[in-house]
């Protein structure tokens, strides 16, 4: 009986040992595979990008700086805001620094360029002080901006000075005057520095004689169809722009301003530059 029990125990022990060996074998076989996977995960960022990272890099390269509606919806409004350039705010206020004509008035040139008109009078002290400033400013204007001077004509003296202005322009156009801006400035000086009224035809002939213009050449220009036509146009523009004081600046027949509205000569030019930018 004892021998039988001993035999049964021996058989049970053999079975247990065999069962344990079968269960241990898969564990031992899986261990090297697990070790290999962990090693690959650590080296992937250095040796090769993961698939998700490759797709993300490709998306960035393809959409560099470009956003359609679908992309904005996916990436959110924050990214769109970061890539939006805001327009520079306007510094000057309508009704304070300038006024707007409603409706828009006529222009002198009627061309494609942005037109800036100064309505002036030789006898105006403010116009005299502004003249060299405007000459420097107008010398550096962009090609698509045109500066035009129009004389005020609301009384006989101003009308005579307006005729002087257009005569100088006509003589310069005919090659009789080399530098019309210098002649304009010299005429200003005659009034404001030399204290001459410059309202008689004789005084004007004598003045232009200093620049090599003889009487016959002067009278031909003074009485020309060109000068008379421009005088009539100046009167029309003075009425259209409702000129009551000088100097007055008109931008593209839409906006009107002056030194009083702007606050200073420097501010006046800044207002004009901003209005030009709004028209370009």
């Amino acid at each position: 009986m004892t021998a039988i029990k001993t035999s049964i125990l021996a058989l049970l022990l053999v079975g247990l040992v065999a069962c344990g060996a079968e269960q241990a074998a898969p564990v031992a076989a899986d261990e090297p595979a697990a070790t290999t996977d962990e090693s690959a995960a650590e080296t992937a960022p250095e040796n090769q990008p993961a698939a998700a990272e490759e797709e993300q890099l490709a998306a960035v390269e393809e959409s560099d700086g470009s956003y359609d509606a679908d992309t904005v919806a996916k990436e959110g409004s924050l990214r769109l805001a970061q890539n939006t350039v805001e327009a520079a705010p306007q510094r000057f206020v309508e009704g304070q620094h300038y006024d707007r004509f409603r409706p828009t008035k006529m222009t002198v040139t009627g061309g494609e360029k942005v037109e800036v008109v100064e309505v002036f009078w030789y006898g105006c002290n403010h116009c005299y002080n502004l003249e060299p400033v405007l000459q420097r400013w107008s010398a550096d204007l962009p090609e698509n901006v045109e500066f035009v001077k129009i004389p005020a004509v609301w009384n006989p003296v101003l009308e005579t000075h307006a005729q002087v202005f257009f005569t100088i322009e006509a003589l310069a156009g005919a090659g009789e005057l080399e530098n019309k801006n210098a002649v304009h400035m010299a005429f200003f000086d005659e009034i404001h520095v030399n204290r001459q009224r410059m309202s008689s035809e004789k005084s004007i002939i004598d003045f232009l004689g200093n620049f090599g213009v003889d009487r016959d050449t002067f009278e031909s220009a003074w009485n020309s169809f060109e000068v008379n036509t421009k005088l009539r146009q100046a009167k029309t523009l003075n009425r259209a722009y409702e000129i009551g004081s000088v100097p007055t600046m008109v931008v593209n027949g839409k906006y009107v301003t002056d030194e009083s509205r702007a606050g200073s000569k420097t501010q006046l030019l800044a207002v004009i530059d901003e209005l030009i930018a709004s028209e370009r």
Side-chain angles (χ1 to χ4, degrees), residues 45-57:
E46 296 179 359
N47 296 333
Q48 59 181 17
E53 290 175 335
E54 289 179 340
E55 293 176 358
Q56 186 179 16
L57 289 171

Side-chain angles (χ1 to χ4, degrees), residues 204-232:
I204 297 164
I205 291 173
D206 291 343
F207 167 77
L208 288 174
N210 296 326
F211 296 91
V213 178
D214 60 38
R215 177 183 289 272
D216 290 341
T217 302
F218 163 77
E219 289 182 348
S220 177
W222 181 261
N223 298 308
S224 66
F225 175 79
E226 175 188 351
V227 169
N228 287 325
T229 298
K230 289 184 176 180
L231 269 174
R232 288 194 297 271

Side-chain angles (χ1 to χ4, degrees), residues 19 31 48 55 60 65 79-80 84-85 100 105 123 126 132 146 159 164 172 183 185 188 214 239-240 258 260 275 279:
C19 180
E31 285 176 357
Q48 59 181 17
E55 293 176 358
V60 171
R79 187 173 180 183
L80 178 63
T84 301
V85 178
R100 179 164 185 164
K105 308 293 185 179
H126 294 292
E146 187 160 0
E159 188 168 338
V164 171
V183 180
M185 198 69 230
F188 268 118
D214 60 38
R239 288 192 298 269
D258 53 34
S260 177
L275 293 174
E279 292 293 295

Side-chain angles (χ1 to χ4, degrees), residues 7-246:
S7 299
I8 293 172
L9 286 173
L11 289 172
L12 289 173
L13 287 172
V14 171
L16 288 172
V17 170
C19 180
E22 290 176 358
Q23 291 178 351
V27 174
D30 288 344
E31 285 176 357
T35 302
T36 303
D37 289 345
E38 289 173 359
S39 176
E42 290 173 356
T43 59
E46 296 179 359
N47 296 333
Q48 59 181 17
E53 290 175 335
E54 289 179 340
E55 293 176 358
Q56 186 179 16
L57 289 171
V60 171
E61 291 173 355
E62 291 171 359
S63 64
D64 186 17
S66 175
Y67 301 96
D68 57 20
D70 293 335
T71 306
V72 172
K74 292 177 182 178
E75 297 182 357
S77 60
L78 178 60
R79 187 173 180 183
L80 178 63
Q82 290 173 341
N83 288 274
T84 301
V85 178
E86 295 183 358
Q90 289 188 330
R91 293 173 56 194
F92 303 107
V93 180
E94 181 180 337
Q96 178 181 349
H97 301 101
Y98 64 90
D99 291 304
R100 179 164 185 164
F101 288 129
R102 291 181 172 83
T104 298
K105 308 293 185 179
M106 67 179 69
T107 59
V108 180
T109 57
E112 296 181 355
K113 295 184 177 183
V114 179
E115 180 184 278
V116 179
V117 170
E118 181 206 14
V119 184
F120 80 104
W121 171 39
Y122 282 121
C124 164
N125 188 58
H126 294 292
C127 298
Y128 174 63
N129 292 327
L130 185 60
E131 179 65 15
V133 177
L134 284 177
Q135 285 195 16
R136 289 192 297 270
W137 171 81
S138 61
D140 295 324
L141 289 176
E143 291 184 359
N144 64 336
V145 179
E146 187 160 0
F147 177 56
V148 181
K149 295 176 75 71
I150 295 294
V153 289
W154 62 68
N155 67 37
V157 173
L158 271 69
E159 188 168 338
T160 297
H161 287 172
Q163 194 167 354
V164 171
F165 172 79
F166 289 124
T167 298
I168 292 172
E169 294 282 295
L171 289 170
E176 299 292 341
L177 292 172
E178 185 176 348
N179 187 339
K180 68 178 182 180
N181 287 337
V183 180
H184 285 310
M185 198 69 230
F187 196 79
F188 268 118
D189 287 340
E190 284 296 309
I191 296 172
H192 296 277
V193 177
N194 299 331
R195 302 298 180 184
Q196 302 297 315
R197 285 178 54 84
M198 303 301 295
S199 57
S200 70
E201 191 170 319
K202 180 183 182 304
S203 65
I204 297 164
I205 291 173
D206 291 343
F207 167 77
L208 288 174
N210 296 326
F211 296 91
V213 178
D214 60 38
R215 177 183 289 272
D216 290 341
T217 302
F218 163 77
E219 289 182 348
S220 177
W222 181 261
N223 298 308
S224 66
F225 175 79
E226 175 188 351
V227 169
N228 287 325
T229 298
K230 289 184 176 180
L231 269 174
R232 288 194 297 271
Q233 184 185 41
K235 292 177 182 179
T236 300
L237 289 167
N238 272 246
R239 288 192 298 269
Y241 296 155
E242 302 173 4
I243 299 301
S245 64
V246 291

